[in-house]
Structures are given as structure tokens and as C-alpha cells.
Amino acid sequence: MVRAAALWELDGVGVHAGGRRILAPLTLALEAGRVYGLIGPNGSGKSTLMKVLARQLAPSEGAVRFAGEALGRWRGRAFARRVAYMPQFTPPTDGMSVRELVALGRYPWHGALGRFGATDAAAAEAAILRTGLERLADRAVDGLSGGERQRAWLAVMLAQLKGGTGARCLLLDEPTSALDIAHQMELLAIVRELAADSEGLTVIVVLHDINLAARTCDHLVALRAGHMVAHGPAREMMAPKTLKSVYDLPMGILPHPVSGHPMGFVL
């Protein structure tokens, strides 16, 4: 089997602040076209790693490459056309409609002084349709449910990445943390479908629910206390010994009665 070229390459990447190490030196390669889940307890470094990838935080040591190029060598708009980031806490929308919010995703393509043209409008409408928001397009984002708001932000990201060439990547930091189980499943199903339908689209997502992570992701990267303790295919990671090393809890595994996906539980 021929391995895909690495889209992300991290070589000894570490972060420290205030006299303490937040993320220990980490070396990892992430291939294009896969869904990666970052898992681990609170304070393990998941969001810190995500911010490094999104260029929101400069690493204290080591090097990061995206698509073969050092992260710092990417120009802002060129990088934003290839990588879209949803932070754990999204910014206020100030009364904007869903359509107006999604249109902001086209900024990397037309810039501050550019014109929002027909291509941008088509990209925004396609993103609204792809996330099932067409009936809500003229509604105020502030008036949506939590699940609908998260879909609106996902649409912003899709509009942002629409067009151009080269592998693209979605970075999602705990997109399901404030959602009920129905909206969690809905959002992650869209993410999974996007990865399957879009050639070259890579998704890196922070998830707290290990069973949702195993169900959604191809590959899991487990962090604990700032250290990467394990990584590998999702099914292989769902093993009692591995989960014990991540969560410091005795855990068992059972197959899902319908899908056969491994399910973890605390003993």
C-alpha cells in the first residue's frame, strides 16, 4: 500500500509559556484526505496544538510544515484559502444573518478592498446548501439553536476553502462541546460526509467523547499532560490499555451492536 504524502509535518514542536511547558516536543505527520481526532483529558494540550496549526500561536520550538512549506512562509490569504479554523469559542455575530456570516468566509479571496462577486456569492450559497441551512439563510445567527449556529460556522469555513487548487484542511476545536447528542451526531455526520465527498479535504477535530471520536475519525492522536501518548488508526486506539494510558481510568471495549464500531466504557 502506497502511503499518501503528508499534508502536515510537525518536527519537535513544543510550546511553553509562563515558565511551564504546555506542549512537549511532538513529531507527527498527518496525511491528506483523512479525518484526525485529537483526544485526551482537559489540559492535555489539544487546543494548544490546534492553535499552532491554525497559526494562532507560534511554537516555542520545532518546525511545522503545511503542504511541504514551512508554516511561517505562507502568506496570510494564501494560507486562509487552504486552511479554515473554527475556534472553541466563536466570535459574536452582531445581528448578522446566516447568509451575511457565510459571506465573510470569502474574505481571503477578495480582500478588504475587493468586490464580493458572483463567484463569491456562488461559493457562499453552495456552502449554505451543503450544510442544510437554506431555510435559515435569512435568519439572524443569534436566534439559531446551538447546533444550527455550529452548522453556520461550518458553512463559513466551506465558503472560505471553495475554489483554487491544492489540498485543504478544516481545523475544528471542540465543535460539539455545547451541543446535545442529536446535534452532535448531525454535525459530525456532515464533517464525515465532507471528508468522503471532497477529494483531498483533511479534517482535524478536537473531541472529548471517545466513542464519537472513534466513530467519526480515521485516525486518533491522544495527548495527556502536554505529551502525545499514542496515535494510530481509530479502531486500533480503542483498546483498554491504550485508553488507560490516555485517561488514567480502567476502561473496557465492546462492539456496537449494529455497526460493530468499538465502544469504550469505564469499568
Side-chain angles (χ1 to χ4, degrees):
M1 179 177 177
V2 178
R3 293 179 64 85
L7 180 63
W8 291 96
E9 298 168 275
L10 292 82
D11 184 9
V13 172
V15 176
H16 48 81
R20 69 184 187 94
R21 176 158 276 164
I22 301 172
L23 188 67
L26 181 154
T27 296
L28 183 67
L30 305 177
E31 298 175 2
R34 297 190 178 210
V35 179
Y36 288 90
L38 303 185
I39 62 170
N42 289 338
S44 59
K46 303 183 299 297
S47 291
T48 297
L49 176 55
M50 191 68 83
K51 288 176 182 176
V52 168
L53 298 179
R55 301 209 312 182
Q56 302 295 305
L57 179 66
S60 305
E61 56 190 313
V64 183
R65 289 180 294 277
F66 173 73
E69 192 79 26
L71 208 55
R73 293 180 62 86
W74 281 88
R75 292 184 177 273
R77 285 173 59 186
F79 184 73
R81 291 175 180 180
R82 302 279 294 274
V83 179
Y85 169 57
M86 183 192 292
Q88 188 174 348
F89 303 104
T90 53
T93 52
D94 296 326
M96 284 187 289
S97 70
V98 169
R99 182 172 280 111
E100 289 169 336
L101 177 65
V102 176
L104 295 181
R106 297 303 295 170
Y107 178 82
W109 296 90
H110 59 71
L113 301 178
R115 179 176 174 272
F116 185 87
T119 299
D120 300 306
E125 290 301 317
I128 288 171
L129 183 64
R130 188 64 186 81
T131 50
L133 291 169
E134 56 271 26
R135 292 186 299 105
L136 303 174
D138 295 314
R139 289 265 304 274
V141 178
D142 294 341
L144 302 181
S145 70
E148 291 165 344
R149 282 196 300 274
Q150 290 297 77
R151 278 194 285 144
W153 280 105
L154 184 58
V156 173
M157 301 172 75
L158 295 181
Q160 178 180 330
L161 299 183
K162 182 71 172 178
T165 59
R168 297 158 298 149
C169 184
L170 296 177
L171 303 174
L172 308 172
D173 192 354
E174 297 191 37
T176 62
S177 61
L179 305 183
D180 60 41
I181 186 63
H183 284 111
Q184 289 180 30
M185 298 300 295
E186 178 184 61
L187 184 72
L188 292 178
I190 293 173
V191 169
R192 185 72 250 183
E193 289 167 6
L194 288 171
D197 296 344
S198 305
E199 184 177 351
L201 179 67
T202 303
V203 180
I204 304 175
V205 55
V206 173
L207 292 170
H208 273 294
D209 187 316
I210 184 62
N211 292 318
L212 282 181
R215 180 189 182 109
T216 304
C217 304
D218 302 310
H219 195 104
L220 299 179
V221 177
L223 301 173
R224 180 176 174 81
H227 294 262
M228 183 174 68
V229 295
H231 71 93
R235 283 182 176 269
E236 294 179 12
M237 291 281 285
M238 293 295 285
K241 184 177 180 180
T242 301
L243 296 183
K244 175 70 164 61
S245 70
V246 178
Y247 297 105
D248 197 26
L249 288 170
M251 297 186 69
I253 301 293
L254 285 175
H256 188 282
V258 176
S259 68
H261 283 102
M263 299 173 56
F265 59 92
V266 179
L267 295 172

